[in-house]
Amino acid sequence: MSSGPLRQFLLPDAGEGLTEAEIVTWRVAPGDVVEINDIVVEIETAKAVVELPSPFAGVVTELLVEPGQTVAVGEPILAVTENVSENVSENVTEIENAETETAGLAETAGAASATRPETAAHPSTAPQGEADHAEPERQPMLVGYGPREVSSTSTRRRRYSPSGAVSAMIGTGQSPARSTATGHRPLAKPPVRRLARDLGVDLAAVGGSGGGGVITREDVLAYERAAHTSAPAGSGGAAARGSTAGLLASLPVSPQPDDIRVAVRGVRRATAEAMVLSAFSAPHVTEWVQVDVTPTMDFVQRMRADKEFVGLRVSPLLVVAKAVCLAARRNPGVNATWDEVNQEIVLRKRVHLGIAAATARGLVVPVIHDADQMHMPALAQELTDIVATAREGRLQPAQMIGGTVTVTNVGVFGVDGGTPILPPGQAAILTMGQIRKMPWVVDDDVVPRWVTTLSLSFDHRLVDGELGSSFLTDVAAVMADPARGLIWA
């Protein structure tokens, strides 16, 4: 059987609006034979670690991205030669020949090829005149992500050959550094472009110090610092516009010999960006209440002994989760979001409950959708599954979107309470502190009781003091007497 064309696996959008992802682990190596839907790589997005299946069957020719590297959606990450030949060396020869022929076509294309969009695809063997008018090719369906249209030509090459791997023609999705007056983008990697967008820096005005004029992160920061220093009061520079990112970027960081630097990316970077966005866009207010939760602790012990909860995660957090759902239905203004574009408050009919979870990759907030529709065993099952999945780093993007109100339990760290920052788009987040025995007055007698502190942070644009207090006291009422939940259910 003869070897087929060289195909490139383009990084798909593995979630809602994904723009880039980090390569975590390759499951294959050059020379491996893969089938369609075989798992070939693990990537870390801003929300989760995701396994990607191969859309092609054939021989892995080249890994185009190294572990730890961040790439943009649509960029090639893997090359596969389809229609596997018994003699892999024949595939290698044909790929190299195709590379030479396509490179010659690209040189003769001149200015015409420079004005065409550069998209990643496999090398075309059609004559140049036919390629110019060829219909776009549709990749095979990548399970879970849908089809993607790609061009049938490529004019860029990229090599990854630490062990003598075969070079292949690929498209990087990046254009050479040229003047924007001609309609072309300066040359910079996706993370650098994102930094420039955040700082309000026009890359066309930045000189590139990297090889071939590539603009680096340091080039962007230096340009922004210079603009911050030279911009007069009232000017339209990025710093003058009050950019928080620009201000932070301009602060000097004096290096020390024993410094340890940790790259901020993936979940941690997404969390940092979301917290800054929320903290400086939603006016936060926090209220507290101390609650005698001795009845909740007794209730938890009875549930653990009940056959309906065998093998499930049963803890006071389960009661808090149910209490929040009940309180949200009684106080619908808390289960809402602020529509900045239309200047409207949007009330949600269902409670999609976020559960903040600390993981090795950082803080994540998986969502239990329609939590208010679940009875206690079903809610316990969801909590058990979603917390375990989060800690294993296997959450899918769909499990982390759409939350309407969130619960976070800092009590597991021995902390009494806190003032958490709202997840963007949500109106409230409830914090449960540690549950510990304290002296408490019961019928004029001081007795030891299980006590916790509940705190509620809310967006004061949507939730005023009366509404926030009503919601918080409703949650506290269920914690103080779980039977009240039967009345409100």
Side-chain angles (χ1 to χ4, degrees):
M1 178 169 54
S2 61
S3 62
L6 178 69
R7 307 301 299 272
Q8 294 165 351
F9 180 13
L10 310 184
L11 180 66
D13 181 350
E16 297 289 335
L18 177 69
T19 59
E20 62 186 19
E22 177 188 341
I23 302 300
V24 177
T25 304
W26 283 107
R27 299 283 192 87
V28 294
D32 287 353
V33 177
V34 295
E35 300 294 335
I36 293 177
N37 289 335
D38 282 354
I39 300 300
V40 293
V41 66
E42 288 184 0
I43 65 170
E44 182 176 7
T45 72
K47 297 180 178 179
V49 173
V50 179
E51 295 177 334
L52 296 184
S54 173
F56 313 121
V59 171
V60 175
T61 304
E62 195 171 0
L63 307 181
L64 305 174
V65 183
E66 298 183 41
Q69 184 175 345
T70 299
V71 294
V73 167
E75 287 197 359
I77 60 175
L78 177 71
V80 174
T81 301
E82 290 190 312
N83 298 332
V84 182
S85 171
E86 295 179 359
N87 188 344
V88 176
S89 63
E90 294 179 5
N91 295 344
V92 171
T93 302
E94 293 188 18
I95 294 168
E96 291 177 330
N97 291 338
E99 175 184 4
T100 304
E101 294 172 6
T102 310
L105 291 176
E107 292 175 359
T108 58
S113 65
T115 60
R116 289 198 301 269
E118 296 182 41
T119 56
H122 67 81
S124 172
T125 57
Q128 183 177 350
E130 296 177 10
D132 287 344
H133 302 285
E135 290 294 325
E137 178 188 1
R138 183 176 294 274
Q139 282 186 324
M141 178 75 77
L142 179 61
V143 174
Y145 307 112
R148 181 182 298 275
E149 299 251 341
V150 296
S151 168
S152 59
T153 60
S154 175
T155 59
R156 302 269 306 162
R157 72 176 66 198
R158 176 177 179 181
R159 297 178 182 268
Y160 169 64
S161 53
S163 59
V166 179
S167 300
M169 290 294 296
I170 71 170
T172 65
Q174 298 176 347
S175 303
R178 303 183 181 99
S179 169
T180 55
T182 63
H184 297 287
R185 299 191 305 170
L187 185 60
K189 293 183 177 180
V192 176
R193 294 187 184 280
R194 180 169 185 164
L195 174 64
R197 287 196 303 270
D198 292 343
L199 299 182
V201 172
D202 181 4
L203 285 176
V206 181
S209 63
V214 174
I215 298 172
T216 66
R217 176 183 178 86
E218 289 69 26
D219 294 334
V220 173
L221 294 177
Y223 181 88
E224 201 280 335
R225 282 194 294 268
H228 174 73
T229 302
S230 60
S235 71
R241 291 195 298 270
S243 167
T244 301
L247 177 60
L248 294 176
S250 68
L251 296 177
V253 179
S254 301
Q256 300 296 325
D258 55 352
D259 284 348
I260 298 176
R261 290 181 175 265
V262 179
V264 180
R265 54 192 176 212
V267 172
R268 293 187 186 276
R269 185 177 69 182
T271 300
E273 293 174 348
M275 293 300 96
V276 171
L277 172 65
S278 179
F280 293 101
S281 63
H284 285 56
V285 174
T286 303
E287 295 182 341
W288 294 264
V289 62
Q290 271 195 322
V291 190
D292 175 4
V293 294
T294 304
T296 284
M297 300 300 286
D298 294 339
F299 182 44
V300 167
Q301 292 302 321
R302 293 199 301 272
M303 284 193 292
R304 288 174 177 169
D306 193 299
K307 63 180 182 180
E308 295 286 342
F309 295 91
V310 172
L312 300 181
R313 183 186 185 90
V314 179
S315 71
L317 179 61
L318 173 60
V319 183
V320 170
K322 187 63 176 179
V324 167
C325 291
L326 293 171
R329 288 167 60 179
R330 285 170 52 83
N331 303 273
V334 172
N335 194 50
T337 191
W338 180 272
D339 185 341
E340 182 67 31
V341 174
N342 296 308
Q343 290 294 291
E344 294 175 340
I345 295 174
V346 181
L347 302 178
R348 307 295 191 182
K349 289 187 175 181
R350 298 290 184 89
V351 179
H352 304 313
L353 186 64
I355 303 292
T359 73
R361 298 181 183 276
L363 177 68
V364 296
V365 185
V367 176
I368 300 176
H369 293 89
D370 296 326
D372 60 318
Q373 305 296 309
M374 298 178 182
H375 52 67
M376 290 293 276
L379 188 57
Q381 182 69 66
E382 287 293 325
L383 271 173
T384 302
D385 293 345
I386 207 163
V387 171
T389 303
R391 289 177 176 170
E392 292 169 2
R394 300 298 175 185
L395 286 172
Q396 297 301 306
Q399 295 176 282
M400 302 178 66
I401 60 175
T404 59
V405 63
T406 290
V407 172
T408 180
N409 181 12
V410 299
V412 295
F413 308 115
V415 176
D416 289 329
T419 58
I421 297 175
L422 293 164
Q426 296 184 26
I429 178 171
L430 183 118
T431 301
M432 181 174 69
Q434 67 172 323
I435 299 175
R436 55 194 178 100
K437 280 196 170 181
M438 294 178 60
W440 200 260
V441 178
V442 179
D443 296 330
D444 294 331
D445 293 327
V446 178
V447 296
R449 303 287 285 183
W450 291 106
V451 177
T452 191
T453 299
L454 302 176
S455 59
L456 181 72
S457 292
F458 51 88
D459 184 341
H460 216 348
R461 295 174 301 176
L462 296 89
V463 182
D464 58 22
E466 179 182 7
L467 177 59
S469 299
S470 176
F471 177 88
L472 184 58
T473 54
D474 279 354
V475 174
V478 176
M479 296 295 292
D481 181 12
R484 182 161 294 277
L486 294 175
I487 301 173
W488 293 345

